[in-house]
Amino acid sequence: MMTLSRGRIFLPIFLCLFCAFATHAQQVPVIEKTLANGMRLLMVERHDEPTIAGGWVAHVGSSNERPGITGIAHLFEHMMFKGTPTIGTTDYQKDLDILNEQEHVRDEMRAEERHMRAMLRRGDIEGDLLKPENWTPRYRELQKQFADLVQQERKVLVKNEFVVLLSREGASGVNAFTSEDMTAYYENLPSNKLELWMWMESERIFHPVFREFYAERDVVFEERRMRSESTPLGKFEEEFNAMFWEALPYSWPTLGWPSDLPSISKADADQFYATYYCPQNITLILVGDFKPEQAEAMAKKYFERIPRGKKNPPDVVTLAVKQAAEKRMYAEADTNPQVDILWHTVPFGHKDSYALSILGRILSTRTGRLYKNLVLGSGVATDVYAAQGSQKWAGYFNAGGEARQGHKPEEVEQGIYDQIAKLQQDEVSAEELQKVKNNFAAGEYRRLSANFPILQELINYDGEGDWREINNEGPKIQAVTAADVKRVANKYFAKENRTVAIYTRKPGSASPEKPAPTSPSTSAQ
């Protein structure tokens, strides 16, 4: 330990330079194939250990929704674990009969909901229609009928059987996520279970059964409440996000608006699934211990039986409207005073995204300009951040920080603008630029060192638009010049292009002061 500690000053420099070289030299050997039904297959053969990281990404996220069904993409993340005709039930025919009867009752409930909403608009009733005390007698009766059907369904249901079966065969980390641009499903599995995995994953795409649809819809609603409505800044961040994006379908939360989730029907879900979960909109990804020829043959055997969708899913056609004036939001919350700033920038793969990523790293981290000047220097902030975010249809640059006790968020805000102004006026030094590039290279080297991180990278790159960025992004980052950084600083960081949120502490709430920061050169490693 003493030897490692003594060499710690020199080791990071050597490691970063080595990683920069390694990232330039190393290309992830991705094999791409396209199945007869349009589904794409990405394979990376690695025999470091007898495991495979497997997953698939559906090119659909909350940006593909519309008002009225916001949150449905995330709902599908849950529904895809509900099984198939052979997985998840002890009696599929009885299961199917119950599901059909549930839909019949739900149709009547939706008609009564329309009646109650009309009464609410007229002022005949007041309050939240989600609360039982505001239901009509007929709606109460229908609710009881549906609850009885739910109990019947549970008698033939095999809970979580899809995950249980995979786990029993040695799979781990079975999970999924939904973002604005994609929905992904993934796990680690023993390499000798690849064919079982192929069958199970193809089955849940080909023959999904949306059991417990309305119960799971309620679970998603509760998840939304816990994440957004029960956190100090959740509801404000949603409002801030909606104010920033305006026209683009990034303006609503991935978890959906609270009024939309309860109104999503299974008919809505069936239509959404048919539109976006077609083979030509899905990419299958394998990383690990397998032979590509054998894996491709298995993929054809199991996934090509899924018919191609009748139509290709529609693209998002609404473009961002150029922001004409600065927008500001002021909110009181149970949190420390802070500022959050967003600028409109560029989408994934845009040539300026690489220089903006470099600029973000110059400002952020414990050795970046914001921390050195606002936390360690003037002391107006306890924490700061900055980063470029490029998504499929548009991008943003986010910066902000928390004000130290005795200082205002506006002081942190001005400090951020001062540091950006310096980047607009003077080119960053060659030494500082290279340090940031080395950090990017080191991070990329670590992310590409094992099966699962490589799978995650391929999922994210493919979901945003092009898996080839796993090999192309590094060289493009390394090609960024000081002049590029100065150019994008001047191009995107205009006052009229930003949206600002100022949070002050709600009267009556208090939060303890954070301890004073230590210099990065002396802090614990």
Side-chain angles (χ1 to χ4, degrees):
M1 291 182 68
M2 291 298 294
T3 303
L4 288 174
S5 178
R6 190 165 54 244
R8 187 163 53 194
I9 297 174
F10 303 99
L11 184 59
I13 298 174
F14 169 78
L15 178 62
C16 287
L17 291 175
F18 166 77
C19 289
F21 172 78
T23 302
H24 278 306
Q26 177 180 312
Q27 293 279 295
V28 179
V30 181
I31 299 172
E32 181 180 20
K33 299 290 183 178
T34 302
L35 306 185
N37 55 10
M39 184 180 292
R40 289 186 299 126
L41 171 63
L42 304 180
M43 298 177 286
V44 180
E45 182 181 7
R46 301 177 82 252
H47 299 288
D48 295 2
E49 54 186 69
T51 63
I52 298 171
W56 53 279
V57 55
H59 297 90
V60 55
S62 59
S63 65
N64 300 101
E65 299 164 349
R66 58 172 171 77
I69 59 167
T70 63
I72 196 171
H74 177 240
L75 177 58
F76 265 105
E77 176 196 320
H78 289 242
M79 296 312 304
M80 291 304 292
F81 288 94
K82 294 302 179 180
T84 70
T86 56
I87 300 173
T89 184
T90 59
D91 188 337
Y92 177 58
Q93 186 54 55
K94 187 173 183 180
D95 190 16
L96 195 61
D97 291 342
I98 294 171
L99 290 174
N100 289 334
E101 183 61 25
Q102 285 181 348
E103 281 307 295
H104 175 72
V105 174
R106 276 288 168 178
D107 285 342
E108 293 191 57
M109 292 177 70
R110 277 187 284 274
E112 190 65 16
E113 286 168 2
R114 288 193 292 271
H115 173 60
M116 290 192 295
R117 283 194 293 270
M119 294 173 64
L120 181 66
R121 289 194 297 270
R122 291 195 302 266
D124 296 338
I125 58 174
E126 295 182 0
D128 188 350
L129 293 183
L130 299 177
K131 294 181 178 180
E133 59 265 27
N134 294 319
W135 294 349
T136 63
R138 175 56 179 162
Y139 194 78
R140 293 175 190 275
E141 179 185 343
L142 291 168
Q143 186 69 31
K144 184 178 182 303
Q145 291 179 26
F146 186 80
D148 291 341
L149 289 168
V150 169
Q151 292 303 317
Q152 293 179 39
E153 182 185 21
R154 287 175 178 169
K155 293 178 181 179
V156 297
L157 188 73
V158 183
K159 199 76 172 177
N160 299 323
E161 189 174 22
F162 189 90
V163 175
V164 169
L165 287 175
L166 279 173
S167 300
R168 188 181 299 161
E169 297 300 321
S172 62
V174 183
N175 215 327
F177 73 83
T178 306
S179 74
E180 291 89 344
D181 297 323
M182 72 192 85
T183 310
Y185 306 83
Y186 51 86
E187 50 267 312
N188 289 300
L189 61 141
S191 53
N192 62 353
K193 300 298 181 181
L194 178 58
E195 187 162 10
L196 172 67
W197 181 86
M198 290 271 194
W199 173 73
M200 290 186 66
E201 292 294 349
S202 64
E203 272 293 290
R204 71 164 161 173
I205 297 174
F206 192 17
H207 298 125
V209 179
F210 301 141
R211 300 180 177 93
E212 299 183 292
F213 178 82
Y214 296 99
E216 202 63 37
R217 193 187 65 177
D218 293 342
V219 169
V220 171
F221 187 89
E222 179 64 15
E223 182 181 346
R224 196 212 119 76
R225 189 187 69 80
M226 293 296 292
R227 289 190 186 181
S228 300
E229 297 172 15
S230 299
T231 58
L233 293 181
K235 58 186 177 182
F236 299 116
E237 289 171 343
E238 285 186 349
E239 188 170 338
F240 184 51
N241 188 66
M243 186 169 71
F244 176 71
W245 286 115
E246 289 188 60
L248 281 172
Y250 292 145
S251 60
W252 51 73
T254 303
L255 291 170
W257 293 122
S259 59
D260 284 355
L261 282 169
S263 67
I264 295 174
S265 68
K266 187 171 176 298
D268 292 330
D270 290 338
Q271 182 179 6
F272 191 83
Y273 185 85
T275 301
Y276 293 104
Y277 275 76
C278 52
Q280 66 265 38
N281 203 42
I282 292 174
T283 303
L284 186 67
I285 306 174
L286 298 172
V287 182
D289 183 31
F290 60 87
K291 293 295 183 182
E293 299 83 2
Q294 296 174 358
E296 182 184 359
M298 288 183 198
K300 288 181 177 180
K301 176 181 178 181
Y302 292 105
F303 286 92
E304 280 191 342
R305 64 199 176 107
I306 306 171
R308 182 184 178 92
K310 295 180 180 179
K311 295 181 179 179
N312 289 331
D315 278 342
V316 171
V317 297
T318 303
L319 300 177
V321 178
K322 186 175 181 180
Q323 188 169 312
E326 180 191 49
K327 292 182 282 189
R328 300 183 72 87
M329 182 181 89
Y330 294 88
E332 293 180 344
D334 294 321
T335 186
N336 287 338
Q338 56 194 273
V339 60
D340 194 23
I341 313 166
L342 289 170
W343 289 266
H344 293 279
T345 56
V346 296
F348 174 84
H350 190 284
K351 61 182 181 180
D352 286 349
S353 65
Y354 310 102
L356 285 162
S357 294
I358 289 281
L359 190 152
R361 195 68 64 90
I362 289 170
L363 292 174
S364 64
T365 77
R366 288 299 181 96
T367 59
R369 293 190 180 191
L370 293 182
Y371 194 87
K372 285 181 177 179
N373 287 278
L374 304 187
V375 179
L376 299 179
S378 65
V380 299
T382 60
D383 194 20
V384 285
Y385 55 87
Q388 162 66 14
S390 291
Q391 297 174 260
K392 187 172 184 178
W393 310 111
Y396 61 90
F397 192 94
N398 184 209
E402 182 180 289
R404 184 172 297 284
Q405 188 171 359
H407 294 275
K408 296 181 179 180
E410 288 85 353
E411 294 178 73
V412 181
E413 179 187 4
Q414 188 56 51
I416 293 170
Y417 297 154
D418 291 343
Q419 294 306 312
I420 290 175
K422 291 180 180 179
L423 291 171
Q424 291 172 328
Q425 294 163 8
D426 302 311
E427 289 188 2
V428 63
S429 71
E431 180 182 2
E432 186 177 12
L433 180 61
Q434 190 58 52
K435 181 189 74 172
V436 169
K437 290 181 178 181
N438 289 345
N439 287 336
F440 268 107
E444 194 65 20
Y445 183 81
R446 287 189 293 270
R447 288 195 297 272
L448 301 181
S449 61
N451 293 345
F452 193 70
I454 294 173
L455 173 69
Q456 288 181 307
E457 292 284 282
L458 285 171
I459 285 174
N460 288 324
Y461 286 132
D462 191 72
E464 294 296 355
D466 189 358
W467 65 263
R468 295 168 185 81
E469 280 292 283
I470 198 170
N471 290 323
N472 296 339
E473 184 182 47
K476 290 176 181 177
I477 287 287
Q478 296 299 321
V480 171
T481 66
D484 291 330
V485 175
K486 182 179 179 181
R487 177 179 59 79
V488 297
N490 282 281
K491 183 175 181 179
Y492 298 102
F493 293 92
K495 179 180 180 180
E496 62 271 16
N497 193 39
R498 72 190 183 214
T499 303
V500 183
I502 297 290
Y503 299 103
T504 54
R505 190 173 298 141
K506 190 175 182 180
S509 65
S511 182
E513 172 69 356
K514 292 185 177 181
T518 55
S519 170
S521 61
T522 59
S523 61
Q525 299 294 314

